Amino acid sequence: MTKAPGSREGKSSGRGARDLRVRVKTAKGRKLSSKLWLERQLNDPYVARARREGFRGRAAYKILELDDKYRFLVPGARVVDLGCAPGGWCQVAVQRVNALGEKGGQAVGKVLGVDLQEVDPIAGAEIHQLDFLSEGADDKVKDWLGGPADVVMSDMAAASSGHKGTDHLRIVALVEAAAAFAFDVLEPGGTFVAKVLAGGAETEMQAMLKRNFDKVANVKPPASRSDSSEKFVVATGYRGRQPRDAEQDEL
Ligand SMILES: C[S@@+](CC[C@H](N)C(=O)[O-])C[C@H]1O[C@@H](n2cnc3c(N)ncnc32)[C@H](O)[C@@H]1O
């Protein structure tokens, strides 16, 4: 890519100016969807920034931006990261909760990540390969955690099946499983962060979160692509298990 001095990365600078977006030629055997994906990656400032700053993916900036606003990844916090591959959120959490004990005089936190896929090791994080929807998965994670959590965060997303209805049900199942787990392991005052569908968490889920947390916000951080329907629910101030727990257990 040729970059004009002073130009903004990946943006056309207006009328009559050269279009500085990287264009990818359609190579033999490359599908149009791959060409468009590659073009978007090459022109995405967050992708470039992740490479520069040593994060495993642009997703890292979503949790950074959410935490900058809601401040839940504090030194000493115990964090569970559901759907953590390739590891951007874990990298951010390790730094912010001081999981490596590098911030002298500050409490040392813990980061536990799980994913269907294998994840290359991340210093300061404990990572396990696991299908979180499989039988007994929550008990396994509780065992690995060995105590309560301050933050449960989920960026879990199933690979698209190409069928809208099926994809919708899968996303709902993943958020519900993450929320049920959060109700079980969070300390009072704890935080639950999860990727949800456009429009925020489903109505029932939203109501349940509102009963159990002091504040529930539906947020689209700047790093989340505007053409993606993803949003995040950030529920802070967990009130501890409530009388309507039986209902939560059925999530
Ligand atoms: C968008 S990626 C997560 C990116 C991650 N937050 C990061 O910063 O690198 C979604 C992940 O959810 C995982 N996932 C989907 N279904 C899952 C399940 N049932 N159990 C565990 N992980 C799951 C996928 O394997 C995928 O790695």
Side-chain angles (χ1 to χ4, degrees):
M1 174 171 63
T2 344
K3 233 189 322 167
S7 70
R8 303 233 323 273
E9 205 164 1
K11 294 230 166 136
S12 163
S13 39
R15 229 169 194 246
R18 271 190 313 140
D19 182 358
L20 297 174
R21 284 179 62 82
V22 175
R23 302 278 172 200
V24 175
K25 284 191 185 143
T26 316
K28 210 174 176 190
R30 183 185 283 144
K31 285 199 220 137
L32 178 65
S33 56
S34 322
K35 170 183 142 72
L36 294 176
W37 180 87
L38 195 55
E39 239 169 46
R40 190 168 72 164
Q41 287 294 103
L42 291 171
N43 290 296
D44 184 332
Y46 282 106
V47 171
R49 192 173 154 199
R51 209 173 294 131
R52 267 199 320 273
E53 295 177 358
F55 288 117
R56 291 191 183 174
R58 67 186 305 295
Y61 297 100
K62 299 177 195 172
I63 201 70
L64 269 171
E65 289 168 355
L66 291 173
D67 185 51
D68 282 346
K69 190 159 181 190
Y70 297 97
R71 306 265 171 212
F72 46 87
L73 295 176
V74 293
R78 297 164 58 83
V79 180
V80 179
D81 181 5
L82 302 171
C84 67
W89 284 28
C90 275
Q91 290 178 295
V92 171
V94 163
Q95 286 176 5
R96 296 211 162 175
V97 307
N98 192 28
L100 284 167
E102 288 171 337
K103 298 176 187 172
Q106 299 205 23
V108 177
K110 179 178 173 80
V111 178
L112 176 73
V114 299
D115 200 286
L116 278 175
Q117 300 174 43
E118 210 175 315
V119 180
D120 286 340
I122 294 174
E126 178 183 331
I127 296 176
H128 296 266
Q129 192 171 4
L130 174 80
D131 177 354
F132 192 66
L133 293 183
S134 63
E135 188 74 34
D138 49 349
D139 285 334
K140 284 186 186 153
V141 182
K142 270 192 257 176
D143 278 354
W144 294 325
L145 188 62
D150 300 295
V151 179
V152 171
M153 52 191 200
S154 165
D155 195 19
M156 283 190 288
S160 172
S161 68
H163 183 266
K164 229 178 166 184
T166 308
D167 289 348
H168 179 95
L169 290 174
R170 282 185 184 164
I171 295 176
V172 173
L174 289 170
V175 182
E176 287 182 352
F181 178 73
F183 288 135
D184 216 13
V185 300
L186 277 182
E187 281 276 34
T191 299
F192 173 60
V193 180
K195 175 158 41 207
V196 292
L197 296 166
E202 302 285 280
T203 320
E204 248 176 71
M205 164 77 67
Q206 194 82 242
M208 197 172 287
L209 292 175
K210 281 186 175 158
R211 277 200 301 278
N212 288 276
F213 290 85
D214 291 340
K215 281 190 185 148
V216 178
N218 286 283
V219 195
K220 184 151 180 91
S224 174
R225 289 184 165 121
S226 54
D227 61 355
S228 133
S229 59
E230 78 175 6
K231 278 199 177 183
F232 293 86
V233 62
V234 181
T236 50
Y238 183 52
R239 298 188 181 133
R241 285 186 79 84
Q242 301 295 298
R244 296 177 73 166
D245 277 359
E247 196 183 320
Q248 288 159 13
D249 289 339
E250 282 163 21
L251 266 175

